[in-house]
Amino acid sequence: MTLTGNDEHTGRPQRRPRTGRRRRPVAILIGLTLAGGLLLTGCGASDSNGSSTDGSNKSGGRGFPQPAPNRTSGTSQGEQKNTPTGDASREFAPSPDYLSTFALDVDTASYGYARRALADGRLPEASTVRPEEFVNSFRQDYRRPDGNGFSVTVDGARTREKDWSLVRVGLATHDAASSGERPPAALTFVIDISGSMGEPGRLDLAKDALGVMTDRLRDDDSIAVVTFSDEARTVLPMTRLGHHRDRIYDAIRGLEPTESTNLGAGVRTGYATAVKGLREGATNRVVLISDALANTGETDADAILENISTARREHGITLFGVGVGSEYGDALMERLADKGDGHTTYVSTIEDARKVFCEQLPQNIDLTARDAKAQVAFDPETVKQFRLIGYDDRQVADEDFRNDRVDGGEVGPGHTVTALYAVRTRPGASGHLATASVRWLDPDTRAPHEESGQLETGSLDEDLWTSSTRLQVDAVAAYFADDLRTGDDKANPLPGALPLGELADRAHRVASAAEDKAVDDLANAVERASGLMG
């Protein structure tokens, strides 16, 4: 039976709660036996390299690759997802199908925090390392779509481990600059002014960047400011910039660190302020700036999260979480952003902060897609095993790809999303290898749309370390994250993984070719980790 998306669920399933500072279980898809029947492929034609970004059908799913037949033997991906089995993301476990489905994610906080830890001379905790956030921290050169929605690029290269390749699925939205007139923004800044924010590199960064950002927002944008320490208060109600910028500058300059961290009160007051200042036709967003170290008042994550969930459902208010500080509540901030249909980043320098508030935040004022999900269908005739790298807590049951009541990710203009797979091809395999599809809802009409791309085995002939520079950058980031999560446990490393010292050398060569400061920073981070791991 071919599943279509007419799901029998009666409510909107929530993503699995994050589990704090431990490795999160995840359903891992591989095929060890041929399960009968080819996966249905889409109507996009492959280019000369075997990859395609064709996906002109935007009718909500018809004409695109359907999910694989629902095999009755074994355990489905969705069933595996809810059955913790340890650190399953690092294992190649049997699976009856060749589908991989996940919600899109544009978070980058994990990589930013890892860089901060390494700069401080320590390794990041393994539980804070999310490979997809390492990979998604770097610029890509994917083709951009002409209009709203996504382009889909699928490519890859072979590793130096026999029959194993890295396959890359790249999704891109249109450039922010080409999106025309964006809607006005109504931004509620919820700023942590607890005592710990007095550490250099926390509140001082936020104040500097917020001041610069205020200069760059438009007159028809609005800002509110809420602060919290042992309690929360609204320092500035929702205020149009227009002729009131001085009021906003005064509110920002007056921020000073005080007592403990009542994060629950800050979130509650912030969302109440956002709801009170809600603007129809505007992008209403809460921007939380904190080290997320809740120690006063409501500290239960689920209770704090419920405030966000209600505002999201009833008013469509999204969250942008900005983490700061050498000690940082990564798990809580990530859960807050997840529940608030938003995403997280991390800043540790003035340069980081200004980039986030002056470039990324304006970019994220508008939305291109809501509840965006990706599904990759591997061909069992050519693929023997595969493993999605990261996205551990973004897994979606295969049959829910076209169930639009199931939560996905929110993506704005100018974003790219990259997913890497380790893929083991069958000896002598030739022909179709995979179809990658992305499905999303229009932010205004909630109409569903899809795009897809194809990959042929011939696209994997090139060696990974002579392939395109951007693919090499992604590979370095993925191998680096995998090594940080593995530590001394070398079970199930990624195929083709290099010793960390050799990866550092490779990273420096890639950085030289990329002529990109962000890649230089990656190479330096790999080198520091290599020294710390010995």
Side-chain angles (χ1 to χ4, degrees):
M1 178 180 69
T2 299
L3 298 174
T4 63
N6 296 322
D7 196 271
E8 296 179 354
H9 294 295
T10 58
R12 184 182 180 89
Q14 300 296 317
R15 296 184 199 134
R16 185 185 57 205
R18 290 176 168 83
T19 54
R21 297 186 178 275
R22 68 176 178 85
R23 294 178 180 172
R24 290 172 291 269
V26 60
I28 301 304
L29 301 169
I30 65 164
L32 296 179
T33 58
L34 183 60
L38 296 178
L39 299 174
L40 299 180
T41 59
C43 58
S46 299
D47 63 19
S48 61
N49 293 322
S51 63
S52 171
T53 56
D54 181 60
S56 56
N57 186 335
K58 299 182 181 180
S59 60
R62 295 178 182 174
F64 283 89
Q66 298 294 310
N70 185 19
R71 300 170 178 84
T72 57
S73 62
T75 304
S76 73
Q77 179 193 17
E79 292 168 339
Q80 290 180 20
K81 180 169 78 83
N82 296 313
T83 307
T85 58
D87 188 11
S89 67
R90 302 189 53 76
E91 299 172 359
F92 296 92
S95 172
D97 65 40
Y98 286 75
L99 288 174
S100 171
T101 310
F102 58 93
L104 300 197
D105 188 4
V106 294
D107 290 356
T108 59
S110 175
Y111 173 66
Y113 186 47
R115 280 184 55 211
R116 169 63 183 267
L118 290 166
D120 289 344
R122 56 190 173 86
L123 293 170
E125 291 185 34
S127 63
T128 69
V129 176
R130 294 179 290 278
E132 72 277 14
E133 297 186 25
F134 278 54
V135 173
N136 281 320
S137 294
F138 299 94
R139 177 174 59 83
Q140 301 292 349
D141 54 6
Y142 305 137
R143 180 184 67 82
R144 299 280 181 176
D146 295 330
N148 290 331
F150 294 88
S151 64
V152 181
T153 301
V154 195
D155 60 7
R158 57 183 170 81
T159 74
R160 295 176 182 178
E161 186 163 336
K162 183 176 173 59
D163 296 330
W164 283 97
S165 299
L166 284 188
V167 168
R168 179 175 64 165
V169 176
L171 310 174
T173 59
H174 60 70
D175 286 324
S178 66
S179 61
E181 192 71 10
R182 66 164 173 82
L187 306 175
T188 301
F189 289 93
V190 180
I191 304 171
D192 186 347
I193 59 168
S194 61
S196 60
M197 292 293 288
E199 173 193 304
R202 299 193 188 200
L203 188 56
D204 56 331
L205 296 186
K207 290 171 65 174
D208 175 89
L210 287 172
V212 175
M213 181 207 66
T214 300
D215 290 335
R216 300 189 182 184
L217 289 176
R218 300 186 324 207
D219 285 348
D220 62 343
D221 293 329
S222 301
I223 286 180
V225 177
V226 171
T227 61
F228 67 93
S229 55
D230 57 329
E231 58 184 21
R233 70 186 186 96
T234 301
V235 174
L236 182 75
M238 193 63 71
T239 303
R240 295 279 181 106
L241 270 73
H243 301 295
H244 303 290
R245 292 179 192 266
D246 286 345
R247 292 182 61 193
I248 296 166
Y249 295 136
D250 289 343
I252 294 170
R253 281 194 294 263
L255 300 176
E256 296 294 340
T258 57
E259 301 177 32
S260 51
T261 309
N262 191 338
L263 182 60
V267 169
R268 185 169 57 252
T269 303
Y271 272 87
T273 300
V275 169
K276 187 175 181 179
L278 195 73
R279 288 180 58 184
E280 294 296 329
T283 300
N284 294 274
R285 176 157 291 200
V286 168
V287 182
L288 175 63
I289 305 167
S290 176
D291 57 19
L293 300 174
N295 55 27
T296 301
E298 183 60 76
T299 59
D300 179 70
D302 291 333
I304 296 173
L305 292 167
E306 186 55 36
N307 289 290
I308 289 179
S309 182
T310 300
R312 174 185 61 79
R313 289 194 306 265
E314 296 181 3
H315 304 290
I317 299 172
T318 56
L319 178 72
F320 183 30
V322 181
V324 295
S326 56
E327 296 298 323
Y328 167 55
D330 168 79
L332 178 56
M333 183 68 89
E334 191 196 8
R335 289 184 66 191
L336 288 168
D338 188 13
K339 194 79 166 183
D341 276 354
H343 64 281
T344 63
T345 190
Y346 178 88
V347 300
S348 61
T349 66
I350 289 290
E351 181 184 31
D352 288 344
R354 290 192 174 187
K355 181 178 181 180
V356 165
F357 289 108
C358 302
E359 297 177 26
Q360 293 181 6
L361 182 56
Q363 180 185 92
N364 289 299
I365 286 175
D366 200 6
L367 277 180
T368 296
R370 284 190 180 272
D371 290 325
K373 300 188 281 289
Q375 184 169 87
V376 182
F378 289 96
D379 193 326
E381 292 286 347
T382 55
V383 174
K384 187 173 184 179
Q385 292 177 286
F386 66 92
R387 165 178 153 193
L388 174 61
I389 302 172
Y391 292 93
D392 298 358
D393 56 358
R394 308 291 287 182
Q395 299 292 307
V396 174
D398 293 335
E399 62 269 23
D400 284 334
F401 176 59
R402 292 188 173 94
N403 180 356
D404 295 327
R405 292 169 294 183
V406 172
D407 203 11
E410 278 58 49
V411 183
H415 276 132
T416 61
V417 179
T418 300
L420 289 179
Y421 288 85
V423 176
R424 184 181 182 189
T425 53
R426 296 184 182 279
S430 178
H432 178 256
L433 188 134
T435 297
S437 300
V438 57
R439 182 179 178 88
W440 73 95
L441 303 183
D442 182 277
D444 298 320
T445 66
R446 300 292 176 135
H449 302 278
E450 289 188 22
E451 296 283 359
S452 67
Q454 312 284 331
L455 183 69
E456 301 291 311
T457 55
S459 294
L460 304 180
D461 289 343
E462 189 171 7
D463 181 88
L464 175 62
W465 301 118
T466 61
S467 65
S468 71
T469 299
R470 287 292 155 188
L471 179 55
Q472 291 187 59
V473 171
D474 295 340
V476 169
Y479 282 129
F480 181 36
D482 193 64
D483 219 315
L484 289 175
R485 291 207 299 178
T486 305
D488 294 331
D489 176 13
K490 296 302 181 184
N492 300 312
L494 281 177
L498 304 175
L500 201 54
E502 188 177 339
L503 184 64
D505 293 338
R506 178 66 61 182
H508 280 294
R509 273 178 275 176
V510 173
S512 177
E515 296 183 341
D516 182 343
K517 183 180 183 304
V519 186
D520 284 330
D521 292 339
L522 170 64
N524 292 333
V526 177
E527 189 171 7
R528 288 191 189 99
S530 177
L532 289 169
M533 287 186 176

